[in-house]
Amino acid sequence: MNRPLQMSRRALLRGFGVGAAGALAYAALGACGSDGGNAPAAGGDPWKRFQGTTINFISENTAPSAAIAANTKPFEELTGIKVNIQQMELTKLVENVSLDLSSGTAGYHVIYADPYQVLAPFSDGLVDLNEFIGNDEFPQPPLGLEDFIPSQLEAAGRFLDGQKLFALPYDTPTMIWQYRADLFEKYHDRMADDLGFDPTPSINITWEQYFQIADWFNKNAKDDVPYGTGHQAKQHDSLQCDFSNVLWAYGGDYFAGGQQLGTLGTKEPGKSTLASDAGIAAAEFYAKLLGIAHPGSRTWDWDGVGSAFQSGQIAMCPNWHEFAAGNEKALPGKVGYAPLPKGPARSANIWGGTGIGINANCSEAERGAAWLFVNWATSPDTQFMCLASEVGGGTPTRTSVYQRPEVEEAKKRPSKLPNILTADAVNEAWKQENIGLRPKVATWNELDTALFTELSRMIAGEVKPDAAMRTVARKFDEINKV
């Protein structure tokens, strides 16, 4: 069995700076590691071929992983394979994956391969899944690859090469406008009279109007809600995500290749375009918006702003649509969902989907067992289980799941599948003209850090927006050696 060449430690650590804390965290993994697994059994049930093997799955703290971790029994009964699932914050995951891939062994066999922070920098350390797809010795994806949403298969699974497939789409969080529908209904007429436009959230509302709505809540609705808007503006990846929606809406982008770099990606993105007139205009508006947002915004990531919304601290926010499950528990029937506002160029809704892949350092048995798990975890039945899970709520990446009658029925309240209440907003956000795709480049981890570090200084008032964008563009060019 041909296996990719092991990635050099230097190449991996260049993709992500690994500190002492990460090294200690990785060292603790030894207790979880496999000893190489059993040899695959010949013949018989292909799902039982690797029974007795133990595999480890590393994942970000996500809805589908929470659902699967709470219900691994169906997979273990189907395969005889034991699966351990370790969930953590994304930055720590990237650090641990970097250490694992560079070790020459496989402490983690199945990897949550974020397209930007794992797949692009570390694709050489992942198995090309074509090793299994079309191979009669292994179970094939139910309904074929055609059942995956095509744009998500490309964005989550491929890098540089349109033939190689490094991951199968696993989750598909997308940032949309989440708002207190009860408060918008209560104050609708007063807001409309004062502001001079219909404030009902929709893709037709501009970001400038969003600002005016937030400011109106700040000044007129303190008895019901402290602040009109909140944001995930912590000095963290979340700040980059929050800002990207505004950047693209204003017609700016990271590189001249624009959204095309979010699919197959590139090794040479060229000079950064962040300091363009559109990029600076976006930064100026974002700084103004954060100036009236809940002051906790500068300390919040997506979980922080989600908790603030659910506890009644803010009337609206941009956040990942999968927070709907928690919204419906905390504020049943009081929340509405819409695509994000539009800027001078368009409405842009950042897509945060991710696939799961296989560590190329795996032994033969671990490799086969990992494929069985990747295949099972992304199957329509498992995705529906995650969607319906009380602890999960992940959104399917399979077209067939959305076509199930029980899913269609759940689009209206009362809904047994609360994330599907966002379906209309998310489907609009997924349209080619509205989706927001970050550039898939091997240096993204360094670029991301440079961006959110300077943005944090900007919203703290330490630097002006135009200077911040010029600094970030210069750092991008230095990182990419342009």
Side-chain angles (χ1 to χ4, degrees):
M1 185 178 293
N2 294 325
R3 296 170 61 177
L5 294 174
Q6 178 189 323
M7 294 185 72
S8 72
R9 188 175 184 84
R10 170 177 287 184
L12 281 156
L13 301 190
R14 184 173 62 244
F16 187 87
V18 176
L24 289 173
Y26 179 73
L29 182 64
C32 307
S34 169
D35 60 3
N38 300 328
D45 183 351
W47 285 100
K48 295 289 188 183
R49 195 169 163 220
F50 303 97
Q51 60 184 330
T53 305
T54 296
I55 57 172
N56 301 319
F57 172 33
I58 184 171
S59 174
E60 186 185 3
N61 296 315
T62 64
S65 293
I68 288 174
N71 192 26
T72 59
K73 187 176 180 180
F75 174 74
E76 293 176 359
E77 289 181 344
L78 175 68
T79 63
I81 296 167
K82 171 69 175 176
V83 56
N84 300 312
I85 300 177
Q86 188 173 358
Q87 301 180 73
M88 61 191 67
E89 192 270 335
L90 182 59
T91 303
K92 183 182 291 185
L93 176 143
V94 176
E95 190 169 337
N96 285 349
V97 168
S98 172
L99 285 163
D100 194 30
L101 294 179
S102 66
S103 70
T105 59
Y108 301 114
H109 310 102
V110 178
I111 293 172
Y112 181 88
D114 179 272
Y116 312 98
Q117 300 197 47
V118 174
L119 175 57
F122 307 139
S123 60
D124 287 347
L126 300 174
V127 172
D128 179 358
L129 300 182
N130 288 307
E131 179 178 309
F132 308 102
I133 296 169
N135 186 335
D136 293 340
E137 295 183 4
F138 298 94
Q140 297 299 296
L143 303 180
L145 296 181
E146 297 79 12
D147 190 42
F148 288 103
I149 297 169
S151 60
Q152 296 180 15
L153 183 68
E154 188 169 60
R158 304 191 191 279
F159 181 59
L160 302 181
D161 188 329
Q163 300 302 313
K164 291 183 178 180
L165 184 65
F166 297 106
L168 293 185
Y170 178 67
D171 65 6
T172 181
T174 304
M175 207 173 283
I176 58 172
W177 186 352
Q178 304 181 24
Y179 62 94
R180 287 287 300 275
D182 57 332
L183 298 183
F184 271 81
E185 182 178 359
K186 177 179 179 178
Y187 292 109
H188 176 274
D189 293 345
R190 283 181 57 192
M191 271 198 288
D193 288 343
D194 291 348
L195 299 176
F197 61 86
D198 182 353
T200 303
S202 76
I203 200 169
N204 296 316
I205 294 289
T206 67
W207 272 111
E208 184 60 42
Q209 289 172 328
Y210 180 99
F211 174 92
Q212 295 175 44
I213 293 168
D215 195 45
W216 191 95
F217 271 110
N218 287 353
K219 296 173 179 176
N220 298 281
K222 289 291 187 182
D223 290 343
D224 286 312
V225 65
Y227 285 90
T229 187
H231 294 265
Q232 45 191 273
K234 179 180 179 179
Q235 187 173 324
H236 176 270
D237 179 57
S238 59
L239 175 52
Q240 169 270 131
C241 294
D242 199 53
F243 172 71
S244 291
N245 297 312
V246 176
L247 174 68
W248 295 322
Y250 272 72
D253 215 317
Y254 292 97
F255 301 101
Q259 295 295 287
Q260 293 179 349
L261 300 188
T263 51
L264 281 184
T266 182
K267 284 187 176 181
E268 298 180 355
K271 289 183 68 65
S272 173
T273 57
L274 281 170
S276 66
D277 290 346
I280 291 172
E284 289 173 341
F285 173 78
Y286 190 73
K288 182 177 79 166
L289 179 61
L290 266 291
I292 65 162
H294 193 299
S297 297
R298 286 175 54 193
T299 67
W300 293 338
D301 59 8
W302 37 76
D303 289 324
V305 75
S307 295
F309 180 76
Q310 291 166 14
S311 63
Q313 290 294 302
I314 51 179
M316 58 184 183
C317 64
N319 206 358
W320 304 108
H321 81 278
E322 292 182 343
F323 276 81
N327 294 345
E328 297 304 316
K329 287 183 179 180
L331 300 164
K334 296 181 179 181
V335 181
Y337 307 96
L340 289 174
K342 64 182 180 180
R346 65 182 181 119
S347 167
N349 305 259
I350 189 169
W351 177 79
T354 292
I356 53 175
I358 300 171
N359 188 333
N361 292 327
C362 287
S363 70
E364 184 178 357
E366 292 166 345
R367 208 177 179 93
W371 164 251
L372 296 184
F373 180 79
V374 168
N375 191 3
W376 175 82
T378 60
S379 69
D381 286 346
T382 303
Q383 290 203 348
F384 179 76
M385 179 273 287
C386 293
L387 176 63
S389 172
E390 292 184 0
V391 300
T395 306
T397 60
R398 296 285 206 135
T399 301
S400 62
V401 179
Y402 293 98
Q403 296 169 346
R404 296 189 180 198
E406 57 267 58
V407 175
E408 284 286 343
E409 184 180 345
K411 291 181 180 179
K412 297 180 180 179
R413 292 184 177 94
S415 177
K416 295 180 180 179
L417 309 172
N419 273 354
I420 293 300
L421 292 172
T422 68
D424 289 343
V426 169
N427 285 331
E428 187 70 26
W430 284 344
K431 290 181 179 178
Q432 184 176 2
E433 63 268 27
N434 300 326
I435 197 69
L437 298 174
R438 287 160 282 180
K440 199 189 295 181
V441 294
T443 54
W444 179 252
N445 290 320
E446 296 168 88
L447 302 179
D448 187 18
T449 301
L451 176 66
F452 66 64
T453 300
E454 197 64 21
L455 286 176
S456 185
R457 295 183 64 221
M458 180 189 77
I459 61 178
E462 297 175 14
V463 294
K464 293 183 178 181
D466 58 342
M469 289 299 97
R470 284 194 288 269
T471 297
V472 177
R474 175 178 53 78
K475 289 183 178 179
F476 271 37
D477 292 343
E478 290 173 354
I479 291 167
N480 286 326
K481 296 180 172 56
V482 177

